Each structure stands twice: as structure tokens, then as C-alpha cells.
Amino acid sequence: VLTQNFESGTPPAGWVSLKTGSGNLWTNVSFGSAYGGSGAAEYQYNSTNAANAYLISSGVALTAGTVYTITYWENTGSLSGSYPENLKVTVGTLQTIAGQTTTLQTLASLVNETYVQQTTTFTPGASGTYYFGWNCYSLANENYLDIDNILITCPVACTAPSTQASAFSVNTITATSMKVNWTRG
């Protein structure tokens, strides 16, 4: 459904990097901080301003009732467990901060020195276009937060379940058995 490895920069085509407050925006890092390949999205700390930066995906057409899995890799590059970063994964129907109306995952006080794979799920209540956001919301003067290799998938071929009813017909009934024909719609 969606794959992003940030090889072509941050934000990639169709994505946006937004913020509230005076902290920094998500940018691209390509000097060895990527999980795979040569690029990753990175929030760099601001020495005096707290982080509240969003990296919001391009629109993805989703089907109501289908469970979508969101997988990505994150790394804080934290030094000896210092400088914790906070991350939320959000979703909404607009590519704006206000449009990110549902929080799917909250990871507080991340201090991992290497990449860790994270996974969450989303089941839309209505079919339509959705935008996924990664929100760094840390204190001022913390460290870096990198994300890479985002993958949004669904089971099989992301098809809507059949709405056609199955047809049953009874052929014969005896005192001890019943023969039924079942036709799947």
C-alpha cells in the first residue's frame, strides 16, 4: 500500500514536514544514519525549543474494515541512555497537523542507540484517503530521532470482503440426515 525509504530526500514527493512551535522540522540524513540504503528521515534537536514536528505521508486509499499494518524502523542515536526522544504515529483524513486525529502508537523516552523495528495497525471505519504521520514531540536539547523503511501493508491483496450472500438449497431430508448444496456468492 505504501513504501518509503527516504532515499530521495525528506520530505519525499507528496509528503509534508510540518511543525508547531519553534522547534525544527524533519529533514533528510544521508551520512550513514539510515537503516537501509543511504537516506533516512531525521528530527534534529533544537537547543532551546521543544520538538513538535510531524512528517506526514502522501495520501493512501484504504478500505473500511481492512486491517493495515504499519512497520518502520526508528533510532535515537542516544548516547548511554541519555537524551530521550518521544514519537507518535498518527493517522487522519487530511495532510495537516489538525487532520491527524487518531494516535495509533505512542513511544515515550526512546533511548535506543541502534535501529529498532516498530509495528502498529490501523483499521479504517470508512473507505477513503488517509495520511499517516510521525510526530517527534520531545523536550528541547535532546538528541536525534531517525525513522526509515516505512511499510504499510494489508493481508493478501487488500480487497474488500464479499458482500454477496451464500446460497443454500436443501436437496433431501430424512430422519437421520440432510443433504445441502452450498453455493458461495
Side-chain angles (χ1 to χ4, degrees):
V1 176
L2 178 78
T3 301
Q4 185 51 250
N5 58 17
F6 304 101
E7 298 301 306
S8 63
T10 303
W15 289 53
V16 295
S17 181
L18 305 169
K19 66 179 179 175
T20 63
S22 300
N24 293 327
L25 290 168
W26 286 90
T27 60
N28 188 258
V29 61
S30 59
F31 50 85
S33 293
Y35 173 74
S38 61
E42 181 172 84
Y43 178 84
Q44 289 187 9
Y45 70 94
N46 183 294
S47 60
T48 56
N49 298 305
N52 195 6
Y54 283 78
L55 183 61
I56 303 175
S57 75
S58 55
V60 181
L62 303 181
T63 303
T66 300
V67 178
Y68 294 87
T69 301
I70 300 95
T71 304
Y72 61 98
W73 293 83
E74 57 80 12
N75 177 15
T76 66
S78 181
L79 308 171
S80 304
S82 303
Y83 307 107
E85 295 289 350
N86 300 318
L87 178 66
K88 288 182 187 174
V89 177
T90 60
V91 67
T93 57
L94 297 172
Q95 197 181 35
T96 63
I97 293 171
Q100 295 298 292
T101 55
T102 303
T103 299
L104 302 176
Q105 184 178 51
T106 301
L107 302 170
S109 300
L110 294 168
V111 292
N112 44 303
E113 292 184 46
T114 59
Y115 274 95
V116 174
Q117 185 178 41
Q118 302 291 346
T119 301
T120 189
T121 61
F122 174 61
T123 305
S127 295
T129 300
Y130 289 85
Y131 302 87
F132 291 87
W134 282 261
N135 171 221
C136 180
Y137 65 101
S138 302
L139 298 174
N141 204 30
E142 291 301 333
N143 202 35
Y144 302 94
L145 177 59
D146 295 342
I147 58 172
D148 203 1
N149 290 14
I150 294 171
L151 183 62
I152 300 175
T153 59
C154 64
V156 192
C158 296
T159 57
S162 173
T163 57
Q164 295 178 336
S166 297
F168 292 92
S169 62
V170 178
N171 281 352
T172 57
I173 300 176
T174 68
T176 57
S177 69
M178 176 170 69
K179 184 176 179 186
V180 176
N181 289 335
W182 173 34
T183 305
R184 186 171 184 178

